[in-house]
Amino acid sequence: MDLVSIVIPAYNSAKWINTTLSSVLAQTHRELEIIVVDDGSSDGTAEVADHALSCFPGSYKILRQAHNGVSAARNKGWRAASGEWIQFLDSDDLLSTDKIKLQVAVARQSPPEIAVLYSSWQRVAGEEDQLSPIEEAQTPQVDGKPPASLLIGKNSIQLGSALIRRVWLETIHGFNEKTQVNEDMELVVRVAEAGGGFRFVPSSGPILLWRMILDRPRWGDETARYKMRDVAKTWLGLIRQTACYGHVENCGLSAEDSKALVADCSMLLRLLYRHDREAFHECLGWVRGLIPGYAPAQPRSLWLIAKCLGYENAEAVSEIVRTVKSRLRRV
């Protein structure tokens, strides 16, 4: 059975959802079921979606719920779905025309233990369908690797770039609705920990365009979409989970992947230092528990200062240097 259910959670997405649904209706794989879950929108999102889908010859549903978050909306959607494979798609993102066709071809040949099929994806920005890349395409590689590999930045599987076998969603009971940040990453980690396999599906380019809203930071302080402290604590909590609350070396990673994970920890701590000092000190304690003798390897200047003065003092010196440089540029 090749029916794929596309689940689109939507909250106040009237501005974007037409373009998103156009990319769904343009799919060359035609055995589709489309489920839009309106998460308590106040801008007519459900009505816009219903109008856009009125010409769709297949099955579609517009489900509604009180505003309860994206995880609850996704759970409501996949539980109402009929397909063996589920395509989650955010209401402002776009699929390439052959996305589902490419992955279904691999799905037909995949044994039951393969839970997730994934491909390359790319961050973009712009209005409606006038989008431009803002980064190189991302090509994760996690086939046969331990769950912790999913937490490395270069291996991040953007949810819309994947197909997930429904039975594995049932096995892990779907999304954790208490998780408000990194909920998609938390889901795929639990799939991996439950024994679900991952398979990369090659494509000629990114199969998902992940729209970034540039006038509002994604991570940061109170003005950002997500608070830096919440992002950091959730991500580090997942690393601790996959390490069985021991060291990173317990995660089963290769030397290269272990080095990449440590580098990601360093990047996160540097961002935390700028945005939330209290959370920085708390998360630094977690990192030191995961990585005994932790010190940032890059930039080299930070490493040298840290060797002499300690890591916290090295960040303080770097902050002073950044401030001075910023003032000089304004002169």
Side-chain angles (χ1 to χ4, degrees):
M1 183 177 179
D2 288 343
L3 178 67
V4 173
S5 297
I6 302 180
V7 174
I8 304 173
Y11 176 66
N12 286 343
S13 302
K15 180 179 180 180
W16 315 107
I17 199 166
N18 243 328
T19 305
T20 296
L21 288 172
S22 293
S23 79
V24 171
L25 296 174
Q27 290 299 301
T28 52
H29 180 81
R30 304 309 299 169
E31 293 182 61
L32 301 175
E33 173 188 51
I34 304 172
I35 301 173
V36 176
V37 184
D38 182 21
D39 186 36
S41 298
S42 59
D43 67 346
T45 291
E47 290 73 21
V48 172
D50 196 21
H51 182 265
L53 292 172
S54 60
C55 61
F56 178 57
S59 171
Y60 79 89
K61 302 173 185 175
I62 308 291
L63 306 180
R64 292 175 171 84
Q65 65 178 30
H67 185 46
N68 201 24
V70 67
S71 292
R74 288 173 178 153
N75 281 340
K76 188 180 186 74
W78 75 259
R79 287 172 180 149
S82 304
E84 178 186 357
W85 291 88
I86 308 296
Q87 164 75 60
F88 292 106
L89 181 63
D90 287 351
S91 57
D92 57 351
D93 295 341
L94 283 76
L95 300 177
S96 68
T97 304
D98 290 332
K99 191 273 185 192
I100 294 177
K101 181 179 180 179
L102 280 170
Q103 294 183 336
V104 164
V106 176
R108 292 180 186 134
Q109 304 169 17
S110 296
E113 60 267 25
I114 295 298
V116 179
L117 303 171
Y118 65 99
S119 302
S120 299
W121 58 275
Q122 190 168 36
R123 291 182 176 90
V124 297
E127 296 294 322
E128 298 180 354
D129 59 351
Q130 303 302 307
L131 300 171
S132 301
I134 57 175
E135 290 182 2
E136 295 295 319
Q138 304 295 306
T139 304
Q141 294 292 337
V142 299
D143 296 19
K145 293 184 177 182
S149 66
L150 292 157
L151 300 171
I152 300 170
K154 67 178 182 178
N155 283 339
S156 177
I157 296 176
Q158 187 56 33
L159 194 63
S161 71
L163 286 185
I164 303 180
R165 201 188 293 264
R166 180 196 169 97
V167 68
W168 284 95
L169 291 170
E170 294 170 347
T171 297
I172 64 167
H173 308 293
F175 291 85
N176 181 348
E177 296 182 15
K178 294 181 181 179
T179 301
Q180 300 299 315
V181 179
N182 290 332
E183 72 290 331
D184 47 355
M185 188 178 289
E186 194 267 350
L187 177 97
V188 295
V189 166
R190 281 191 292 117
V191 169
E193 290 180 326
F198 290 68
R199 178 166 290 175
F200 178 71
V201 180
S203 57
S204 59
I207 51 79
L208 172 78
L209 299 181
W210 187 32
R211 189 193 303 266
M212 309 300 292
I213 311 302
L214 297 182
D215 60 357
R216 185 183 181 193
R218 183 170 177 80
W219 299 349
D221 55 21
E222 301 298 325
T223 63
R225 184 176 177 184
Y226 298 114
K227 296 188 183 77
M228 197 70 232
R229 88 166 34 230
D230 295 336
V231 172
K233 287 186 174 183
T234 304
W235 184 72
L236 286 172
L238 288 170
I239 297 175
R240 297 171 82 200
Q241 175 183 316
T242 58
C244 298
Y245 294 88
H247 300 160
V248 163
E249 63 189 26
N250 295 345
C251 292
L253 295 170
S254 66
E256 180 184 353
D257 280 352
S258 183
K259 182 179 179 181
L261 190 63
V262 172
D264 286 347
C265 286
S266 296
M267 179 192 70
L268 198 67
L269 287 172
R270 301 213 74 194
L271 289 170
L272 269 179
Y273 188 86
R274 299 176 198 178
H275 292 287
D276 191 324
R277 298 291 171 82
E278 181 181 346
F280 165 80
H281 288 291
E282 183 178 0
C283 290
L284 178 58
W286 289 9
V287 170
R288 283 174 169 160
L290 288 162
I291 310 164
Y294 168 77
Q298 296 294 333
R300 187 72 175 173
S301 58
L302 185 68
W303 177 83
L304 287 170
I305 298 171
K307 292 289 284 185
C308 298
L309 304 177
Y311 175 50
E312 294 96 320
N313 290 329
E315 283 290 5
V317 171
S318 294
E319 183 69 15
I320 292 170
V321 171
R322 279 194 297 270
T323 301
V324 170
K325 286 182 176 179
S326 177
R327 289 175 178 174
L328 288 175
R329 281 195 295 266
R330 292 198 295 266
V331 173

